[in-house]
Amino acid sequence: MFFQPSKYLFALALTSVFGLAPLRMVAQDPAPAAAQGPQWKNQAEFDLYTGITKENDPKAKLQKIQQWEKDFPDSAFAKNRRTILMTTYYQLQQPAQAIDEAKKILAEDPKDFGALYITVTLTQSAAGQNPTPAVLDNGEKAATALLSVNDPPATMTPQQWATQKPQVQNLAHTTLAWIQLQRKNYPAAEGEYQKSLQINPNNGTIDFQLATAIYSEKDPAKTPTALFYFARAATYDGQDALTPDGRKTVMAYVQKAYKGYHGSDEGFNNLLAAAKASPTPPADFTIKNALDIAKAEMANEEEWTKAHPKEAMWKGIKEALTGADGANYFDSSMKGAGLPPLKGKVVKLEPATRPKTILVAMEDGKSDGTTADATLKFEMALPGSVEPGTELTFEGVPESYTASPLMVVFNVEKEKLQGWTGKNAPPVRRAAPKKSASK
């Protein structure tokens, strides 16, 4: 995923390579040395050069240039020859050789735009899978020098330079960023990639590399930003986007990374929508960390437990009874033991009036109040009846239980039941019989 330089810009940078020499031979038209500038040694050198300018096959051109070096090592056009040789190596996709020639040019002229440009362009290719410090240092030096170029190079008009300068700077920043990635200086890489995106906000490759740099810093506070740029690389499909296969690969990666950070897929589609809509994270952008979520839930749980001791007790009992060792827990810790007060809501009375059995939905902070998971048994019938949903508090002695579905049977004394409001109907008063009249 390398930054791809403009072919048009490359041509502009080296546009004068073959416009170097007079068409007439010096011997045929001698002139004062001061006015003539560099001159060909003889007709043979001029013919060699002419053959090179007409050669379209890079391999054949290289052979002719090497012949030129061999036959005329001290040519007055040695610098121009190095430039031609450098561009020929570029055409042959031999980056190391091209950069070596660029070094020779820069040794004489540290500001040579063509040599700087081609060095920066080829740094990543020359580095390969195991970049050496020398390659990285050379690329960094050239990229830094390229950023300092303000005036139009000799090969460009002011108008051309105004158009192409942002591309040159973008190339320099992305190369510097890549070099810092290789050095594992991730904050510096992040800074350079950010500068690149300020020049061209829409570039899937740079989005991915910026995300990689940020993610590699292993700073949890920055992880949401890294996930945003991964999502941007996966969703952006305009000019300079990743290939469809590349976006698919990044999408799978960011989905997994998001779930690992957040703890679930919840909100992932919102992240994708935000990344597709904007090249930078919104001002209020954030993603909650699973650890922070867990801590918040734990804090809420502690507060809830303090405020709801009865419900919290049942929640713990429920978790124990439905666990793998539930039967042992019931037999050793609950059966026949008097428990502290518990709370539940009436689901059903048996019978509907003057019940001796009440099915209740125990409160644990999550109960819907309609599913019974406890049975309260009384020796004596309770007076009257109450409506379903009536909240009761009781102290009972567990008798038995089933794990699935959960049902715990409690023996409860009438005096240890609170919240029961049922009353027996008053006895029907019968009218006293009328006395018969005395005769």
Side-chain angles (χ1 to χ4, degrees):
M1 297 182 178
F2 296 154
F3 176 84
Q4 297 297 321
S6 164
K7 293 181 179 179
Y8 173 69
L9 176 55
F10 181 79
L12 281 177
L14 303 170
T15 200
S16 65
V17 167
F18 293 117
L20 307 174
L23 297 178
R24 294 175 295 173
M25 285 296 300
V26 175
Q28 297 172 336
D29 187 16
Q36 266 180 321
Q39 302 296 324
W40 303 107
K41 292 290 185 181
N42 52 38
Q43 184 68 44
E45 183 183 11
F46 181 78
D47 290 343
L48 263 176
Y49 170 76
T50 302
I52 291 169
T53 62
K54 296 179 179 179
E55 183 58 68
N56 295 321
D57 179 4
K59 290 184 179 180
K61 182 185 294 185
L62 178 61
Q63 292 177 348
K64 291 179 180 179
I65 297 171
Q66 291 172 337
Q67 184 66 42
W68 185 10
E69 287 183 310
K70 178 181 179 182
D71 293 349
F72 301 94
D74 57 347
S75 171
F77 298 97
K79 178 181 177 180
N80 306 118
R81 182 168 61 200
R82 291 192 190 101
T83 302
I84 299 172
L85 185 56
M86 176 181 68
T87 59
T88 302
Y89 280 130
Y90 176 87
Q91 292 172 319
L92 290 169
Q93 298 183 12
Q94 298 181 22
Q97 291 84 343
I99 289 177
D100 283 343
E101 295 304 319
K103 285 181 181 179
K104 297 175 184 177
I105 296 170
L106 293 171
E108 296 181 6
D109 182 4
K111 296 183 179 181
D112 185 280
F113 181 79
L116 290 173
Y117 182 81
I118 205 166
T119 298
V120 176
T121 299
L122 296 178
T123 291
Q124 295 185 48
S125 298
Q129 296 298 318
N130 297 297
T132 64
V135 170
L136 298 180
D137 291 346
N138 188 61
E140 180 180 38
K141 182 179 180 181
T144 301
L146 204 56
L147 284 173
S148 68
V149 178
N150 293 313
D151 298 327
T155 56
M156 297 186 200
T157 66
Q159 293 77 16
Q160 289 173 329
W161 180 237
T163 301
Q164 299 303 322
K165 183 179 179 179
Q167 291 193 44
V168 172
Q169 293 181 326
N170 199 7
L171 172 64
H173 285 306
T174 56
T175 301
L176 288 171
W178 180 85
I179 289 170
Q180 297 300 342
L181 272 185
Q182 309 316 301
R183 293 171 173 167
K184 302 187 186 307
N185 187 349
Y186 302 119
E190 176 190 353
E192 293 296 337
Y193 282 131
Q194 291 283 15
K195 292 175 183 177
S196 171
L197 288 178
Q198 289 173 8
I199 297 171
N200 177 18
N202 298 310
N203 189 304
T205 296
I206 303 306
D207 288 326
F208 177 80
Q209 292 178 326
L210 171 59
T212 300
I214 298 173
Y215 205 63
S216 298
E217 293 178 43
K218 297 182 179 180
D219 181 352
K222 287 188 173 184
T223 299
T225 303
L227 293 174
F228 177 89
Y229 283 108
F230 277 130
R232 177 68 178 173
T235 57
Y236 174 66
D237 56 4
Q239 185 177 357
D240 295 326
L242 296 177
T243 65
D245 285 345
R247 295 199 298 273
K248 183 177 179 181
T249 299
V250 178
M251 179 67 77
Y253 177 82
V254 69
Q255 185 170 14
K256 182 178 180 181
Y258 178 92
K259 188 172 183 178
Y261 180 79
H262 183 64
S264 72
D265 290 324
E266 181 183 6
F268 181 66
N269 289 335
N270 294 335
L271 168 64
L272 297 182
K276 187 173 180 60
S278 173
T280 57
D284 58 348
F285 176 76
T286 185
I287 300 173
K288 291 184 178 179
N289 188 331
L291 181 59
D292 293 335
I293 294 173
K295 288 180 178 178
E297 290 178 349
M298 186 178 297
N300 292 336
E301 182 78 8
E302 290 177 356
E303 291 180 7
W304 181 84
T305 297
K306 291 178 181 179
H308 304 85
K310 298 180 182 67
E311 294 89 335
M313 175 173 286
W314 176 253
K315 181 179 180 181
I317 291 173
K318 183 177 179 179
E319 290 175 352
L321 293 179
T322 55
D325 201 29
N328 182 54
Y329 174 81
F330 181 82
D331 291 338
S332 63
S333 302
M334 287 185 64
K335 188 173 182 179
L339 299 182
L342 296 171
K343 185 188 291 185
K345 291 181 179 179
V346 173
V347 175
K348 184 179 181 182
L349 305 178
E350 296 178 350
T353 302
R354 293 180 57 80
K356 295 182 69 174
T357 300
I358 307 175
L359 298 180
V360 296
M362 300 297 288
E363 292 288 347
D364 61 357
K366 297 181 179 179
S367 172
D368 59 7
T370 62
T371 302
D373 47 10
T375 300
L376 312 186
K377 294 170 60 179
F378 299 85
E379 288 188 5
M380 302 294 291
L382 298 172
S385 66
V386 295
E387 294 294 324
T390 299
E391 188 173 273
L392 302 176
T393 300
F394 65 94
E395 294 180 50
V397 178
E399 175 186 286
S400 63
Y401 97 106
T402 55
S404 183
L406 179 65
M407 178 59 69
V408 181
V409 179
F410 292 89
N411 291 315
V412 183
E413 296 178 9
K414 181 179 177 181
E415 294 76 15
K416 294 186 178 181
L417 175 67
Q418 298 176 13
W420 182 265
T421 58
K423 295 180 179 179
N424 289 329
V428 178
R429 289 187 176 183
R430 297 183 180 182
K434 293 182 177 180
K435 295 181 179 180
S436 58
S438 60
K439 293 181 179 180

